[in-house]
Each structure stands twice: as structure tokens, then as C-alpha cells.
Amino acid sequence: MIVLGLEGTAWNLSAALVDERDVIAEDHSTYVPAKGGIHPREAAQHHAEHMAKVVRSVLSKAREMDRMPEAIAFSQGPGLGPCLRTVATAARALALRFDLPLVGVNHCIAHIEVGKWRTGSRDPAVLYVSGGNSQVLALRRGRYRIFGETLDISVGNALDKFARSVGLSHPGGPKIEELALCAKQYIPLPYTVKGMDFSFSGLSTAATEAARRHELADVCYSLQETAFAMLVEVTERAMAHAEKEEALLVGGVGANRRLGEMLNLMCWERGARFFLPDKGFMGDNGSMIAYTGLIMLKSGVVTPIEQSKVIPLYRPDDVEVTWA
Ligand code: ATP
Ligand code: FE2
């Protein structure tokens, strides 16, 4: 089966074509604000302007290879309302135009499924960390249950906010990672794990304060060490609780080598396996939506047009996993 997937929950608009084995084509376009953070309506405008171009690009590649889509998948949520609506409208138009089945995909679950697909992980505890989300999940009784999550902002947002406050450009994560490599000492910062949940807002503010008195590299390093230790602690407890022998890291912050290293060490110490997808599948991408749409469709899930309304606060545990 060949599925065309559309992703555009926030910054990145991406279209991709996949089959069961691999990605056939992918193209994307990223919204860059004139200044500051994301402006939902401007981002949606960007997606509307570039939609035809990215879709045409993957379809022309498909035509060259004589492999046309048999279904349309789109990210139905969670995400920014205006962005989601733009993508859903394009997906409906394509489904109607080519008379193809439509399937609405949960964006968080797509991160997990593409991670499993690309790494061969079968039944992991998942750490999903991005600019919009920070969650620890695992499959249990037919759903991806959330074992722990942030009580305020996501870890990616905490990194980006701190970065902006010290004059680094967006996205801050990669710049913090780079600077942290030059650190000479650890500066204590607030470590906040409550039960199975974590909080990053106070940590980000404390790091901004610390940067007034300390070397920036030392603060970047300390911010990473503290935030990632919190994430690793909760992931480890979820593995023990849910009896999972594997851990999988997904989402844009997963590109951070230090976080991968810390999770790998934790897994090694408990005799578990750690899985890390290639960088191209970590951040938001159309392939993850296309692939998840494909496995959903094969299990019999279709989204009729009248049920294709976007769901800005769509939670992964709202979805019954019919394809496992
Ligand atoms: P979602 O919709 O799933 O919340 P998103 O729109 O935030 O995703 P992603 O590409 O998944 O997009 O994640 C972007 C985040 O990843 C940003 O906060 C960015 O700073 C962070 N990031 C990217 N690379 C790194 C890195 N090397 N180290 C730390 N953080 C990183
Ligand atoms: Fe994402």
C-alpha cells in the first residue's frame, strides 16, 4: 500500500509518500517568523502558501516511479488550530479529488510509530520530547498510556525560552548542545520531578538568572544535565512499572546527543535496549504521518470526511491502537 501523508501541526509543513518498506518521497517547508516565537495564523498562512508546492513535489516523484497514493493521511492533532485546519483542508481536497480514503492521525502516536518502524523497537517505553510536548508513554491494554508528562512547558520550549533570553536564535536546542560541550563546571539548578511528572518552567527561569552570574557554556551544560536527568528518571520508572525491556527516544529534542547518551547508559545498566531513530525522523516529518496512516488503514481504520475535524488537544490515549 502507498500512502500520502501531510504534517503541519506547527512550524514545519511536510508531505511524504511511503509504502510498508520505506519512504518513497518527502518534501517540506519550514515557517520562519520575522522575529520571536511562533505566530499560529502566520504559520498557517505559510502552510497554505507552500502546500501545493510540497504536495506536487512528492506526487511528481511518485508519477516518475509509477507509484501513486492509495490513501491520504493527515495530522489531526495535537497542534495549533489554524495550522491543523489548513492541513486538514488540503487532505480532504486530495481525498475527494482522487477518490481515496482519508485517515486522521494523532501526531504524538506518529512520532512513536515511525520511531518503532525505523529502529525495529517492538514494545518500548517511549520518551517523546519536542517543542510542544514532553511525555513518557507505553502501550498497555490497547492504548498508548501517558505514564508521565510535563506539568507546565515542554523541555524543548524550556531550552528555546532560555536560549532566547540569552540572545541565541531559535531553535535554541542545538545551540545549547554546542555550547555545553565547552563547559567547565556544573551549576546547581532546580530539579523538579513530582510523582511521574516533571516541570521545566522554573528550571528555564533559573537558568536565565544563572546566566547573569556564570559562563554561558556552564549554564547550558547544567541546564541540559538537570533537564535530561529528570526525563531519564521518569523514563526508567515507567520501564520498571510497565515492565518494558526497551526504551525509544522520539521528537525534536531527541536529536540531542547527550540525552541519547544518558538514556543509553540507563538502559545498559538495567539490561534493557535503547532505540534511537535517525535524525530525519526525530523532528516533525510527513513520513511519520504517512506511515502511521498506512498501518491504521491496514487495520481497518478510515476517517470519513464528516469526522475529519481537527483536534487541537488530541491526546495519544484517546486513540485505540487497532494495529498492534
Ligand atoms: P511537536 O509538534 O511534536 O511538539 P515541534 O513542532 O516542537 O514538535 P520538533 O522538530 O519535534 O518540532 O522539535 C523542535 C524542538 O527540538 C525545539 O524545541 C528545538 O530546540 C529542539 N531541538 C532540536 N535539536 C535539538 C538538539 N540538538 N538538542 C536539544 N533540543 C533540540
Ligand atoms: Fe512533533
Side-chain angles (χ1 to χ4, degrees):
M1 180 179 247
I2 302 180
V3 178
L4 173 71
L6 296 181
E7 157 60 31
T9 50
W11 304 82
N12 200 32
L13 173 70
S14 174
L17 205 66
V18 311
D19 63 13
E20 286 87 349
R21 294 217 316 265
D22 212 347
V23 176
I24 300 166
E26 185 177 277
D27 194 19
H28 76 277
S29 173
T30 305
Y31 156 76
V32 183
K35 71 173 175 45
I38 193 162
H39 188 300
R41 252 178 302 127
E42 273 180 20
Q45 189 59 36
H46 162 273
H47 295 357
E49 276 166 25
H50 293 80
M51 185 67 73
K53 185 178 62 96
V54 297
V55 170
R56 225 177 256 135
S57 148
V58 295
L59 286 181
S60 75
K61 182 123 185 250
R63 213 168 284 124
E64 270 170 32
M65 300 176 6
D66 208 16
R67 307 196 65 190
M68 293 308 280
E70 295 156 80
I72 309 293
F74 71 103
S75 48
Q76 199 168 7
L80 302 168
C83 297
L84 290 171
R85 283 192 290 276
T86 304
V87 170
T89 304
R92 286 181 207 116
L94 285 163
L96 290 168
R97 168 70 180 78
F98 296 111
D99 195 21
L100 296 176
L102 184 68
V103 55
V105 173
N106 178 290
H107 176 95
C108 311
I109 290 181
H111 273 291
I112 300 173
E113 292 300 342
V114 83
K116 287 166 72 176
W117 186 41
R118 303 313 293 189
T119 62
S121 169
R122 295 174 61 91
D123 186 22
V126 183
L127 176 60
Y128 166 38
V129 277
S130 65
N133 297 282
S134 296
Q135 293 172 337
V136 176
L137 313 103
L139 192 59
R140 218 182 191 191
R141 284 178 279 115
R143 279 174 204 252
Y144 282 107
R145 315 274 168 185
I146 300 171
F147 281 76
E149 64 189 318
T150 182
L151 296 168
D152 41 54
I153 59 174
S154 72
V155 64
N157 191 214
L159 294 172
D160 294 339
K161 261 179 134 168
F162 164 73
R164 212 174 304 135
S165 78
V166 295
L168 301 170
S169 64
H170 186 87
K175 283 139 211 156
I176 293 170
E177 177 173 22
E178 197 65 33
L179 281 161
L181 296 173
C182 312
K184 294 194 185 66
Q185 59 169 336
Y186 176 80
I187 296 150
L189 291 172
Y191 180 101
T192 320
V193 172
K194 292 181 182 158
M196 288 291 279
D197 296 323
F198 24 73
S199 143
F200 294 108
S201 182
L203 173 61
S204 183
T205 311
T208 298
E209 300 267 310
R212 297 207 183 96
R213 289 168 280 115
H214 298 277
E215 285 291 327
L216 185 56
D218 290 344
V219 181
C220 289
Y221 167 75
S222 309
L223 173 57
Q224 279 196 169
E225 294 300 304
T226 311
F228 297 168
M230 287 156 55
L231 295 168
V232 174
E233 181 193 328
V234 174
T235 308
E236 179 167 25
R237 299 221 318 262
M239 289 173 82
H241 196 73
E243 298 176 339
K244 303 289 180 189
E245 304 294 321
E246 301 178 346
L248 171 69
L249 175 60
V250 300
V253 181
N256 189 291
R257 274 158 302 199
R258 178 62 183 144
L259 178 55
E261 189 180 276
M262 287 167 78
L263 283 163
N264 195 30
L265 180 64
M266 177 272 282
C267 285
W268 182 79
E269 281 175 349
R270 17 181 330 115
R273 292 184 71 193
F274 174 57
F275 293 90
L276 183 70
D278 288 343
K279 221 170 159 177
F281 292 96
M282 281 290 193
D284 294 348
N285 62 86
S287 296
M288 71 186 200
I289 302 299
Y291 174 72
T292 308
L294 184 151
I295 56 177
M296 288 173 76
L297 274 156
K298 286 185 87 171
S299 77
V301 180
V302 198
T303 307
I305 298 272
E306 42 309 337
Q307 284 168 32
S308 63
K309 211 162 166 267
V310 304
I311 313 170
L313 299 176
Y314 205 178
R315 284 175 66 87
D317 47 7
D318 288 340
V319 181
E320 193 192 333
V321 176
T322 49
W323 56 88

